[in-house]
Amino acid sequence: SSYHRAMSESKAVILGVGGLELTAEERAFYRDQQPWGFILFGRNVSAEPQQIKDLVAALRDTVGGRNAPVLIDQEGGRVQRIREPICPRYPSGADLGAIYRADREKGIRAAWLMSRLHAFDLLKLGINVDCLPVLDVPVEGASDVIGSRAYGKDPTTVTEMGHAAAHGLKAGGVLPVMKHIPGHGRGFADSHHELPVVDTPLAELRAHDFAPFKALAGELMAMSAHVVYTAIDPKFPATTSEIVIRDIIRGEIGFDGLLMSDDSSMNALSGTLGERARAIANNGCDIVLHCNGKMEEMIQVAAEAKPLAGKALERARRVEAAFGAPDQLGEAAVRAEFNALLPAV
């Protein structure tokens, strides 16, 4: 079909946008490059829902009007790109984890309901992918880059809450992205600024860090961790490590979905933007993610991204085939049930 032809002409890249609306230069660039998807940030969002809808529609228009994935990080807590007046401030993963610790069933239900609410919020605006759940399991003393974003400090809590969160999104017609595979919880550095190096033995990583990802390995999308695990590959972070991706993410964890890099503009990665994108594209990630919307960087990244082909194309098609209609739940009832589960602040 023409749809599949359009998709196979897509590049294995997800790109950001500079501002609240597309410039003529951005429009021409996306038309020319045909990225598989887009990602939005706070800089792309005003207080007007219509502005976000118009931006999302304009992005899809540049790729031939297909229902391209439009991603956002809408976790709750400090990582929530769309806020009041469009969306209420949602609790963090750690806040939900506190409900779980007090009452397991209520915690799991709260995680599902909050994701279902994210789906109501996002789908109205045309956004169909939420970069959630965070399946990282932090250890004491780790960098605060994950911190309160995590549901808890043990794999069982994180697995059960992450599972509920992923299901809530899908019930609402929005697809989840697990992050940051195979685990960012031990990073003692913030990968936005520098490269975390983890020296933990493999047996311990298996029992603690990999466990939630293994439990949710059937999900369709995951985002890699810019973290070096010296027990597996002392040289390269997971994002650009052929060994970590082949042996751990694909092999041991058993994830066969679409693997996207974390943001290629983060300083955990070395080299020029083009060199980073090439390393990501050549070592096992299906999709290069570039977030900041800076044109001179996007040009370098897109030049190195490959057309979707082979396994990556197959996985991307599976994602696009999974976009479906939400369940028939009413938003007011879901919101009321969720609010009733939150402890009085």
Side-chain angles (χ1 to χ4, degrees), residues 48 67 74 90 108 138 149 152 159 162 212 222-223 232 245 252 280 314 318 332:
E48 290 300 322
N67 188 29
Q74 191 78 344
Y90 288 105
I108 290 171
R149 298 167 67 189
T159 298
M223 183 184 287
I232 308 159
I245 292 172
E252 184 156 326
I280 291 166
E314 207 178 292
R318 282 210 302 263

Side-chain angles (χ1 to χ4, degrees), residues 28-299:
F29 177 71
Y30 301 139
R31 281 216 168 92
D32 179 52
Q33 293 297 325
Q34 293 297 303
W36 180 64
F38 301 95
I39 186 163
L40 300 184
F41 282 83
R43 67 177 181 273
N44 308 123
V45 169
S46 72
E48 290 300 322
Q50 194 58 49
Q51 172 268 321
I52 306 172
K53 279 190 217 176
D54 291 346
L55 177 59
V56 170
L59 287 168
R60 290 202 173 108
D61 184 55
T62 67
V63 293
R66 70 183 169 85
N67 188 29
V70 176
L71 291 70
I72 199 162
D73 296 291
Q74 191 78 344
E75 295 175 11
R78 64 187 157 90
V79 180
Q80 180 177 329
R81 310 300 183 203
I82 304 176
R83 299 187 169 192
E84 313 96 324
I86 299 177
C87 300
R89 294 246 173 171
Y90 288 105
S92 67
D95 295 333
L96 296 180
I99 300 174
Y100 175 96
R101 279 192 297 284
D103 183 323
R104 176 175 168 265
E105 292 304 319
K106 279 185 179 168
I108 290 171
R109 184 67 180 159
W112 188 94
L113 290 164
M114 189 167 97
S115 277
R116 186 65 192 83
L117 291 172
H118 287 321
F120 278 119
D121 295 340
L122 297 175
L123 209 58
K124 280 180 215 166
L125 303 169
I127 299 166
N128 54 4
V129 178
D130 190 1
C131 299
L132 188 73
V134 177
L135 296 184
D136 304 310
V137 190
V139 295
E140 284 305 326
S143 158
D144 195 43
V145 65
I146 301 301
S148 64
R149 298 167 67 189
Y151 296 112
K153 291 196 166 135
D154 66 285
T156 303
T157 301
V158 172
T159 298
E160 294 200 330
M161 295 293 278
H163 192 261
H167 279 264
L169 288 173
K170 290 185 288 190
V174 170
L175 294 182
V177 178
M178 306 185 282
K179 55 193 188 189
H180 306 83
I181 199 167
H184 204 310
R186 282 176 201 275
F188 279 72
D190 179 345
S191 52
H192 293 86
H193 306 296
E194 55 188 314
L195 179 61
V197 176
V198 170
D199 293 321
T200 308
L202 188 53
E204 206 175 319
L205 291 172
R206 277 189 182 124
H208 185 272
D209 305 57
F210 303 165
F213 295 99
K214 195 162 187 174
L216 275 77
E219 293 298 337
L220 291 174
M221 285 180 280
M223 183 184 287
S224 68
H226 292 337
V227 174
V228 169
Y229 309 90
T230 57
I232 308 159
D233 182 348
K235 202 167 169 196
F236 297 106
T239 299
T240 57
S241 169
E242 194 181 352
I243 299 168
V244 173
I245 292 172
R246 181 191 64 221
D247 296 354
I248 302 300
I249 295 175
R250 298 300 189 196
E252 184 156 326
I253 289 171
F255 175 67
D256 187 40
L258 192 81
L259 180 64
M260 65 186 74
S261 71
D262 200 348
D263 182 12
S264 56
S265 62
M266 284 162 60
N267 289 322
L269 302 181
S270 57
T272 65
L273 266 296
E275 286 163 351
R276 294 175 192 187
R278 191 178 325 143
I280 291 166
N282 289 344
N283 289 300
C285 272
D286 296 309
I287 300 273
V288 182
L289 175 67
H290 182 267
C291 292
N292 65 25
K294 291 181 180 164
M295 183 55 73
E296 62 278 14
E297 292 191 12
M298 292 198 292
I299 290 168

